[in-house]
Amino acid sequence: MSGLAWLALSLSACDGESSGGLTAGPSKAPSQAQSASLVVTGARVWTGDPEMPWSEAVAAAGDAIVAVGSASDIAPLIGDGTELIVADGGMLVPGFIDTHVHFLAGGSSIASVQLRDAQTPGEFVRRIEAFAETAGPGEWITDGAWDHTNWGGELPRRDWIDAVTPDNPVWVSRLDGHMALANSLALQQAGVDADTPDVAGGEIVRDGDGRPTGILKDNAMVLVQEAIPKPTERQLDSYLDAAMQYVAKNGVTTVHDMSDGIADGWIGLETYRRAEARGDLITRIYAVTPLGEWRRLKDDIGRNGRGNEWLQTGGVKGFMDGSLGSHTAAMLAPFTDTPQDSGFLLDSLENLRVMMTGADAAGLQLNIHAIGDKAIRDLLDIFLDVASENGKRDRRLRMEHAQHIHPDDIPRFAVQGVIASMQPYHAIDDGRWAEAVIGAERARTTYAFKSLLESGAHVVLGSDWYVAPADPIAGIYAAVTRRTLDGENSNGWVPEQKITVEEALRGYTCEGAYASFEEDRKGMIKAGMLADMVLIDRDLTAIPPETIRDAKVLKTIVGGRVVYSR
Ligand SMILES: [Zn+2]
């Protein structure tokens, strides 16, 4: 074993030796005096606890796990007041932690026009037309999550939809959120026309006469976003409710909310606080707020603290670059399909360095989006500067996405202690077309789950919902098989980067807890931990990998309470 690998093993949250420490003791024989409020038995229990990875039954009292053991160990804890769940086989795992969602935007997307699987321009237009018929006059039609690669790559234009949306401004985004289509009414209300100058770090796509086609990319999207009226508190509460119900159905008990995507980036935290005060949260939330406003978060923590086990703050989200699908990822060398273009950074390195150094000095956690190999390298360099400037501490720097890594930079994650926060579902989605954009050589270290794990890095997994479904079982399937969504690549796209089911489970449980400094309270099934668990209808480690996606969540338990039952 290399020295590096040993170092990483000793630091891994899932090995019980993380720097935050584990307050929970080993599972002990339960006391006969008390009965449990909840007992789950009958399924194989994957605990995530390296001292006892598999078990048979779990007991909880109130919101915490009190005992894990054999069925006969736990039986004496079953009393009159115990809610007893007897599974017919299957698997019980720690509640899934989705480490990258845009929670309210996801909630609102459930309620909006559905364009993700529109396979032709005609279908795209028909769906917008049908939705507009249900919308009130003047109401904005947003979200959509369209994908122009479904019909060969022609970008949609406002003249496709103007005739079917005369009374509603339309602002529908591509599924990666890095470009969107406005209809003429939306452009008019936003004051965008042929005379509008381009925006640094973005693009107004124009026709031959210089008029906007309706497509705005990255920073230019702000021009229209600013014209959209702010959702009401009632709407926001309904988005949150829809989001929590949806993730509970998929076994998610904690989300790390990356905030951007709806309004000003603080509306999420305000909405979650209202729900928390009412006792309405059924999903635990680590609410990350914008890097550019790190001082506001510092002041907020000074007044309100960092929250509790339902709702926590302390992280800031920033951006290095855009996305591969929009050709706005910052690459070291040009894109294979557009040899004059290598993407771009969204801000100057100096601005980014100053903001990150300030936020880090305030004790905040950096969660920074980097997709292209240049963005990744530049961010690793900035992280080095931040750490040397501000001195040693348990800062758990996070790189969000870490998609296209130059091979030379892979070992730096473990060496610098940078968490790779990645989304396996993107791999089987992008895998359909990414090789055309970056070529075969760069594809080999794209979504490099295995290389990162072998290097000793912390790899934490999530969805990027609304961009992709917040469905950890689909994510595990993606990470384990790398079978692309188009049914090609039956042995996996870049198969050497496939990981095992247990590696993927750790990425969605104990490693996720580590990524928000909460590994002493969640991410394992172990006495003393919060009783967040998911019952799945089959043992994911014992079935052919290609059938993992057929597995169903039967029950989701948060804080000892069943919040979803199939
Ligand atoms: Zn995201």
Side-chain angles (χ1 to χ4, degrees):
M1 188 183 293
S2 77
L4 197 60
W6 176 86
L7 174 77
L9 269 180
S10 70
L11 288 173
S12 163
C14 302
D15 289 301
E17 303 234 354
S18 57
S19 52
L22 290 168
T23 53
S27 296
K28 39 193 171 299
S31 123
Q32 306 251 352
Q34 302 168 299
S35 64
S37 50
L38 174 77
V39 164
V40 187
T41 184
R44 279 195 92 198
V45 180
W46 183 83
T47 66
D49 176 1
E51 287 169 20
M52 185 177 64
W54 292 94
S55 195
E56 285 179 9
V58 183
D63 68 353
I65 294 168
V66 291
V68 184
S70 68
S72 58
D73 283 341
I74 300 300
L77 284 174
I78 301 170
D80 291 344
T82 304
E83 178 176 4
L84 180 62
I85 297 173
V86 183
D88 181 19
M91 183 186 207
L92 187 74
V93 302
F96 291 129
I97 298 170
D98 186 326
T99 56
H100 189 120
V101 299
H102 304 280
F103 211 43
L104 288 187
S108 96
S109 73
I110 293 175
S112 192
V113 59
Q114 305 296 312
L115 300 172
R116 176 181 296 272
D117 57 348
Q119 298 296 336
T120 62
E123 182 62 20
F124 175 88
V125 174
R126 265 192 300 281
R127 289 192 189 187
I128 291 173
E129 177 176 20
F131 192 83
E133 281 163 11
T134 71
E139 226 170 76
W140 281 69
I141 297 171
T142 59
D143 302 289
W146 48 267
D147 183 1
H148 59 304
T149 68
N150 284 350
W151 57 78
E154 185 189 357
L155 286 175
R157 295 188 308 272
R158 64 190 159 95
D159 56 27
W160 293 10
I161 56 171
D162 276 345
V164 298
T165 54
D167 303 321
N168 298 92
V170 175
W171 177 242
V172 286
S173 44
R174 185 173 187 275
L175 50 77
D176 66 3
H178 287 274
M179 60 170 118
L181 173 70
N183 68 355
S184 295
L185 189 55
L187 288 181
Q188 190 191 321
Q189 292 194 10
V192 176
D193 58 25
D195 300 328
T196 307
D198 277 310
V199 177
E203 186 186 351
I204 301 169
V205 178
R206 298 170 198 270
D207 65 17
D209 301 322
R211 288 177 309 215
T213 67
I215 291 284
L216 278 67
K217 295 187 180 180
D218 287 294
N219 286 0
M221 292 166 64
V222 174
L223 297 172
V224 174
Q225 272 151 1
E226 281 175 344
I228 302 176
K230 201 168 134 172
T232 63
E233 283 192 4
R234 192 201 56 79
Q235 281 178 303
L236 292 163
D237 292 347
S238 74
Y239 298 164
L240 172 58
D241 199 49
M244 292 194 297
Q245 300 289 343
Y246 164 75
V247 300
K249 207 173 69 180
N250 291 330
V252 175
T253 57
T254 293
V255 294
H256 296 185
D257 178 40
M258 296 293 137
S259 78
D260 47 273
I262 198 156
D264 69 357
W266 283 81
I267 275 184
L269 181 55
E270 288 159 10
T271 304
Y272 310 146
R273 279 185 172 150
R274 283 198 301 279
E276 206 263 328
R278 292 193 304 263
D280 280 353
L281 290 179
I282 61 166
T283 311
R284 303 183 194 279
I285 304 174
Y286 178 43
V288 171
T289 49
L291 171 64
E293 294 173 82
W294 64 264
R295 286 183 184 84
R296 181 170 168 187
L297 179 59
K298 184 189 175 193
D299 294 346
D300 186 273
I301 289 172
R303 284 195 310 277
N304 301 312
R306 288 182 185 240
N308 58 30
E309 62 218 5
W310 282 104
L311 176 57
Q312 265 214 59
T313 64
V316 287
K317 168 82 183 294
F319 287 86
M320 296 295 289
D321 64 344
S323 79
L324 191 69
S326 300
H327 283 66
T328 53
M331 303 299 292
L332 293 163
F335 296 108
T336 305
D337 59 346
T338 51
Q340 72 288 0
D341 180 11
S342 52
F344 50 85
L345 295 175
L346 297 178
D347 200 348
S348 76
L349 286 177
E350 193 44 34
N351 278 349
L352 290 161
R353 193 187 329 267
V354 167
M355 280 192 288
M356 288 188 220
T357 306
D360 179 81
L364 306 176
Q365 184 190 34
L366 300 175
N367 300 247
I368 311 296
H369 168 124
I371 284 188
D373 51 13
K374 173 177 163 52
I376 290 169
R377 179 170 292 176
D378 288 343
L379 180 57
L380 288 166
D381 289 347
I382 292 176
F383 279 167
L384 262 189
D385 292 348
V386 165
S388 73
E389 174 101 353
N390 292 340
K392 192 172 155 54
R393 80 177 168 92
D394 183 11
R395 50 171 51 84
R396 305 194 192 179
L397 299 164
R398 285 175 57 157
M399 186 184 295
E400 301 304 315
H401 309 305
Q403 254 167 238
H404 311 286
I405 314 177
H406 190 282
D408 293 352
D409 293 323
I410 287 175
R412 296 180 64 186
F413 286 78
V415 169
Q416 292 182 223
V418 175
I419 297 169
S421 171
M422 305 177 76
Q423 299 81 34
Y425 193 90
H426 285 341
I428 62 170
D429 190 349
D430 296 8
R432 293 174 297 137
W433 48 261
E435 229 159 295
V437 180
I438 57 174
E441 186 55 32
R442 287 184 289 194
R444 291 179 56 219
T445 49
T446 279
Y447 298 101
F449 308 119
K450 192 69 176 181
S451 298
L452 284 164
L453 284 175
E454 282 175 350
S455 77
H458 287 282
V459 175
V460 308
L461 301 178
S463 65
D464 206 8
W465 186 56
Y466 60 100
V467 181
D471 180 352
I473 289 177
I476 293 166
Y477 165 81
V480 170
T481 69
R482 293 180 74 102
R483 287 183 164 206
T484 48
L485 294 177
D486 55 10
E488 303 290 319
N489 303 291
S490 62
N491 186 39
W493 176 59
V494 197
E496 59 272 26
Q497 295 295 350
K498 291 193 282 194
I499 61 176
T500 68
V501 171
E502 286 192 74
E503 285 168 336
L505 280 171
R506 280 193 283 275
Y508 278 108
T509 57
C510 43
E511 288 288 354
Y514 173 84
S516 63
F517 300 88
E518 294 177 284
E519 74 279 10
D520 57 340
R521 288 295 274 149
K522 63 169 85 151
M524 285 186 202
I525 295 178
K526 181 171 180 165
M529 293 271 177
L530 290 166
D532 297 353
M533 299 178 280
V534 190
L535 182 62
I536 303 168
D537 68 347
R538 62 201 87 183
D539 177 352
L540 303 181
T541 67
I543 56 177
E546 61 276 15
T547 67
I548 290 171
R549 64 175 162 183
D550 303 327
K552 301 279 183 283
V553 168
L554 298 178
K555 284 188 194 296
T556 302
I557 299 161
V558 183
R561 192 160 74 90
V562 177
V563 299
Y564 169 75
S565 218
R566 191 180 162 81

